């Protein structure tokens, strides 16, 4: 059957078919330029009203890793300690303040969110998660692997790293070149017929 995908097969494999959640990494460092290149690509991914609520805190120093580790689940502490780079992904709950600049074609966009914190936080979470997915695909596009982790004390991380309350932790991503020896077989995926339906 002829492929309907425009992306070539090797790029499909790199971004999706051969992509794995990495738990172990080689010792090769991940430099700032690699992350800059990733972000400069994925920042073009669309969000509602061009909100762009994602914020990324890169944890490189042993001190920052220790501060994070106490809030991680036990099974995630060693993963973060051994990763070449750990990124703490968060959302800006005050993203609406930038909308006059980021979405000037709708001057009233900020007003939709200014007085409704519940709507603002939900929108930040939804669009921040969308940007986080773009970020993970961008990491793969750079030939790196990502190990996203949700096992952490959210309140503790927010108090530790975002005490003003404007930002909220989304999840943690370890980044590096994967150590593939002893890798488990890929888990099964649901088929098109199991997921997609038509009305």
């Amino acid at each position: 059957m002829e492929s309907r995908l425009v992306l070539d097969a090797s790029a499909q494999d790199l971004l999706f078919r051969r992509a794995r959640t990495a738990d172990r990494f080689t010792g090769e460092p991940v430099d700032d330029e690699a992350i800059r290149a990733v972000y400069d690509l994925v920042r073009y991914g669309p969000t509602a009203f061009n909100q762009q609520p994602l914020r990324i805190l890169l944890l490189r120093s042993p001190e920052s890793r220790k501060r994070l580790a106490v809030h991680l689940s036990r099974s995630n502490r060693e993963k973060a300690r051994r990763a070449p780079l750990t990124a703490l992904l968060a959302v800006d709950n005050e993203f609406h303040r930038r909308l006059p600049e980021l979405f000037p074609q709708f001057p009233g966009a900020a007003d939709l969110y200014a007085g409704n914190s519940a709507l603002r936080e939900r929108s930040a979470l939804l669009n921040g998660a969308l940007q986080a997915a773009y970020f993970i695909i961008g990491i793969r596009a750079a030939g790196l692997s990502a190990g996203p982790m949700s096992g952490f004390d959210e309140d503790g991380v927010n108090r530790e790293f975002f005490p003003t309350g404007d930002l909220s932790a989304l999840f943690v991503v370890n980044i590096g070149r994967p150590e593939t020896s002893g890798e488990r077989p890929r888990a099964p995926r649901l088929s098109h017929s199991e997921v997609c339906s038509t009305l």
Side-chain angles (χ1 to χ4, degrees):
M1 181 171 147
E2 182 183 349
S3 173
R4 297 295 182 93
L5 301 175
V6 175
L7 202 63
D8 69 61
S10 62
Q12 294 171 32
D13 287 344
L14 176 68
L15 299 180
F16 296 101
R17 293 192 192 97
R18 293 187 184 153
R20 305 291 298 269
T21 297
D23 289 333
R24 297 178 301 130
F25 299 90
T26 69
E28 185 176 342
V30 177
D31 62 26
D32 289 340
E33 287 309 307
I35 299 303
R36 183 183 299 277
V38 167
Y39 183 73
D40 283 346
L41 172 66
V42 303
R43 67 186 176 137
Y44 294 104
T47 54
F49 292 137
N50 200 30
Q51 292 171 8
Q52 303 176 61
L54 183 69
R55 301 295 180 266
I56 303 168
L57 180 61
L58 300 176
L59 305 180
R60 290 193 180 280
S61 70
E63 294 77 15
S64 66
R65 302 292 185 96
K66 286 180 185 176
R67 288 171 59 197
L68 176 66
V70 298
H71 303 290
L72 296 176
S73 65
R74 286 184 187 274
S75 61
N76 286 336
R77 289 175 190 166
E78 188 62 16
K79 293 176 189 176
R81 189 188 70 77
R82 292 191 319 238
L85 178 63
T86 297
L88 178 51
L89 304 191
V91 294
D92 181 359
N93 295 308
E94 303 297 327
F95 67 85
H96 66 292
R97 295 176 180 170
R98 302 289 302 271
L99 287 181
E101 167 196 354
L102 297 175
F103 202 65
Q105 57 268 49
F106 180 16
D111 297 333
L112 294 176
Y113 298 97
N116 190 335
S117 60
L119 175 64
R120 203 164 60 241
E121 289 173 15
R122 175 171 168 72
S123 193
L125 178 63
L126 175 65
N127 288 281
L130 185 60
Q131 283 190 286
Y134 297 147
F135 181 68
I136 290 171
I137 292 172
I139 289 168
R140 293 172 180 163
L144 301 168
S145 288
M149 303 187 300
S150 60
F152 63 91
D153 173 7
E154 185 177 339
D155 290 337
V157 168
N158 286 335
R159 283 192 304 270
E160 183 71 33
F161 292 97
F162 312 122
T164 65
D166 287 355
L167 302 184
S168 297
L170 192 57
F171 56 87
V172 176
V173 183
N174 294 321
I175 303 168
R177 299 210 179 271
E179 173 55 66
T180 57
S181 62
E183 192 172 66
R184 290 177 298 202
R186 181 181 285 284
R189 297 301 195 264
L190 296 175
S191 69
H192 172 271
S193 62
E194 293 171 300
V195 173
C196 300
S197 57
T198 303
L199 294 178

